[in-house]
Amino acid sequence: VQVPVKRVVLAKPEFADTIAQLGMADRLVGVSSINAIAVAPILERYRRGEVVEVGSGTHSAIEMALAVDPEVVFTFYSAFADSNTHPKLWDVGITGVPLADHFEPTPLGRSEWIKFVALFVNGERTADTMFAGLRARYEQLREVAAGVSTRPPVIVGWANSRQEWALNGGHNYFARMVADAGGRYVWDSPSMRSLDLADIEQIFHLSFDSEAWVGNQLGYRTLSSLVGSNDRLRHFGPVLRQQVFDNDGGRLPSGATPIANESLTRPDAVLADLIRILHPGLLAEPDLTYYRELPP
Amino acid sequence: MNGTTTVSVIPGTATRPSRAGAGVWWFPLLVAIALAAFVLELAIGAVRIPIGDVVTILLGGQGEQVTWSRIVLSFRLPRALNALISGAALGASGLVLQTLFRNPLADPFVLGIMHGARLGVAVLVVATGVAGVAFTQRFGEIGTWTLSAAAALGAIGVLLLMLAVARRVTTVTLLIVGLLIGYVCIGLISALLHFVDEVQARAFEQWEGGSFDGITSEQLLLMAPLLAAGLGLAYLLAKPLNALQLSEAYAGSMGVHVTRVRVLTFVCIGLLVGPVTAFCGAIPFLGLVAAHVARGVLQRSDHRVLLPAAALAGATLALVTDLVIHLPWAKHFLHLDAVIGMIGAPVALWVILRRKQMRALEL
């Protein structure tokens, strides 16, 4: 790849704010789905017709990507080989670059992927500055939470089907973030993956004493509608205690959520939300940025 | 039909002339396996609960830990009951469909009925998503009951289509129509799912993954009488189905109103398959395997005996496969369709290959 690249397609929305913060928005010519984008400069380029939707993972997506003639396509890296798009892109002569930030064991390690993306536009200095700032803010918050006297148990994820629960592995970056926020992640698996599957009765048992359920795009407006989707959830400890939070704060009418675009560039803000959820009153500013408490 | 030396002429299901009562000893064996699987379903799971506590909880007492009672009574017991009645319904439906179509490959999944249910849910998910407001803010108001209703409507839609066609074509053509409707549904589902986002896709997948898990007592109370009505109707159709095995012309000469039997059979299938698919998702293959097991072990073609056997085989297979799924696997997560294939296919193969006429069959 000849850097700096001038035409980029982003098929991993988690990096949308990274692209904007690195000053790459004007090089962006395609995204996998505009409904996953909540970053203003990218939405504006889409409205002007300078960014197109290319889809993801399908033959049509590859044809669409070919049509916009990108120098690089940033894609989601999957542990399941058949689910990856980058080999298919390579086959047709496009430089597909898989991004595997979601496998990182620490939140700051995950944010360092900003530096990798910056290499494609010679933006190392900008990335270093960004990373130094977010690291300082993150570590400051972590020190605040390190002094808590109790570590409330926390469950994350969602009911993925009638029988299974999907959640971050016990050694995934999000488990570390829960610990950094002064919580105890109850799913103690050795996995670094962003998606472990567990039997729902096991999660019920583990989470019964959990102070909070920190959901990931649960898709329900209220606790009653959440229970309406799966009756057994009514027995879960955090549901009984009405301590369920979803990261859909600031959702746009399209369905896009800011956290899905900004969690790499603002891990400190995500950490602050978790501290506010687990230790109310510990931070001066009480309002949540990305999370929302589900009302009854 | 004297029940002693009957010979089926359904391709692939032919039976040797046999003694009256041959294979009847399988009934208590299947009952014993089903009973054991049912008990183990309550005793074994991802969370280890001592058997003494399980018994205490079932007798109305409290387990040592507060979560154990809830796990046994709200997770495991409804699931086991669901596997029992849904498995029985799917087993009976597989047998009835194979007889109606005189084809050993017919079952609710192959014939597109379950794909119709899947299409109903896909249409609901997509329609809600494009209604102008983000789907995720609306899905909660939809809930499982609406998804189940959409699935039931989809399944009934396919059945009505086949009913409409049933009056005009032969049984073989009707089988092909069912297969083609299934393929159309599969294509439409695939096309529709291109228009959904991640959360919508998750809603579809949550419903679609066939499982006996997650059933509520209200849903069980709704299902049970419908399935009982379906099983009862199937039993009432036993004699006409016996006649249909030989040929429609023979059945007609025996006074069977073939078209009316077809219509009643579709109603029966709707009662048996609709509720199961609505509340459990698409469960492939179970009906097909159960029917072959029933025919194979009994080696008889009288539906008054075969129907209870197929229902029992279906219930047993459902309980055993569900038990395997919920064994405390450390690193793996098994799915129902895969386990039905792993357990059901070898059992069906063994039953089929035991029979000389099946080995010699050329389809």
Side-chain angles (χ1 to χ4, degrees), chain A residues 76-126:
Chain A
F76 177 91
Y77 175 76
S78 172
F80 302 100
D82 290 346
S83 299
N84 282 309
T85 311
H86 62 274
K88 300 168 191 165
L89 291 166
W90 294 345
D91 287 344
V92 296
I94 297 178
T95 305
V97 177
L99 301 173
D101 58 288
H102 45 284
F103 282 96
E104 290 289 345
T106 69
L108 291 176
R110 181 174 181 240
S111 289
E112 279 199 296
W113 280 78
I114 294 170
K115 297 178 182 177
F116 174 68
V117 172
L119 292 172
F120 289 84
V121 288
N122 292 330
E124 293 93 322
R125 187 169 297 175
T126 307

Side-chain angles (χ1 to χ4, degrees), chain A residues 174-251:
Chain A
F174 198 76
R176 174 65 77 85
M177 191 177 269
V178 168
D180 289 346
R184 181 172 63 81
Y185 190 49
V186 299
W187 180 244
D188 188 24
S189 81
S191 162
M192 284 199 297
R193 289 167 47 170
S194 59
L195 190 71
D196 270 4
L197 295 177
D199 193 301
I200 200 165
E201 86 169 30
Q202 192 174 12
I203 297 300
F204 164 73
H205 182 68
L206 286 173
S207 69
F208 193 72
D209 295 324
S210 292
E211 295 287 328
W213 170 7
V214 179
N216 182 8
Q217 306 289 311
L218 296 174
Y220 304 95
R221 195 164 44 198
T222 62
L223 275 176
S224 59
S225 58
L226 176 69
V227 169
S229 74
N230 187 333
D231 191 69
R232 286 176 301 175
L233 295 177
R234 73 170 68 249
H235 307 303
F236 280 58
V239 176
L240 291 170
R241 285 184 279 280
Q242 300 189 0
Q243 287 294 298
V244 180
F245 299 83
D246 196 10
N247 58 358
D248 62 355
R251 180 187 292 277

Side-chain angles (χ1 to χ4, degrees), chain B residues 253-270:
Chain B
S253 72
M254 295 290 286
V256 173
H257 193 304
V258 174
T259 305
R260 186 182 299 159
V261 170
R262 276 188 194 171
V263 171
L264 286 173
T265 305
F266 279 129
V267 173
C268 170
I269 295 300

Side-chain angles (χ1 to χ4, degrees), chain B residues 74-278:
Chain B
S74 298
F75 287 66
R76 296 182 184 175
L77 183 59
R79 192 183 74 220
L81 288 170
N82 188 18
L84 182 75
I85 62 173
S86 294
L90 291 176
S93 69
L95 179 75
V96 169
L97 283 171
Q98 287 180 12
T99 301
L100 179 72
F101 288 106
R102 295 167 41 76
N103 190 299
L105 294 177
D107 88 336
F109 193 79
V110 172
L111 284 169
I113 300 164
M114 288 186 180
H115 293 305
R118 294 175 65 231
L119 180 61
V121 172
V123 168
L124 176 72
V125 167
V126 173
T128 318
V130 297
V133 182
F135 177 82
T136 50
Q137 295 298 314
R138 300 166 58 87
F139 175 57
E141 312 310 324
I142 296 173
T144 49
W145 284 99
T146 319
L147 283 170
S148 301
L153 282 175
I156 291 167
V158 169
L159 279 170
L160 287 177
L161 260 176
M162 294 184 70
L163 260 177
V165 178
R167 296 172 185 278
R168 299 180 177 82
V169 299
T170 65
T171 303
V172 173
T173 309
L174 193 56
L175 179 68
I176 296 168
V177 169
L179 287 170
L180 292 177
I181 290 174
Y183 288 133
V184 170
C185 290
I186 292 169
L188 287 172
I189 292 163
S190 179
L192 282 170
L193 292 181
H194 277 293
F195 297 99
V196 302
D197 62 25
E198 183 187 346
V199 180
Q200 286 172 273
R202 190 189 293 173
F204 181 76
E205 287 164 7
Q206 280 177 355
W207 172 84
E208 184 183 47
S211 169
F212 300 117
D213 241 318
I215 196 88
T216 66
S217 52
E218 292 84 2
Q219 290 166 345
L220 274 174
L221 286 173
L222 177 66
M223 279 175 77
L226 292 172
L227 300 188
L231 289 169
L233 181 55
Y235 198 76
L236 290 176
L237 289 168
K239 279 191 173 179
L241 289 172
N242 283 345
L244 274 176
Q245 285 182 116
L246 295 172
S247 75
E248 289 186 359
Y250 171 78
S253 72
M254 295 290 286
V256 173
H257 193 304
V258 174
T259 305
R260 186 182 299 159
V261 170
R262 276 188 194 171
V263 171
L264 286 173
T265 305
F266 279 129
V267 173
C268 170
I269 295 300
L271 286 168
L272 291 172
V273 179
V276 174
T277 310

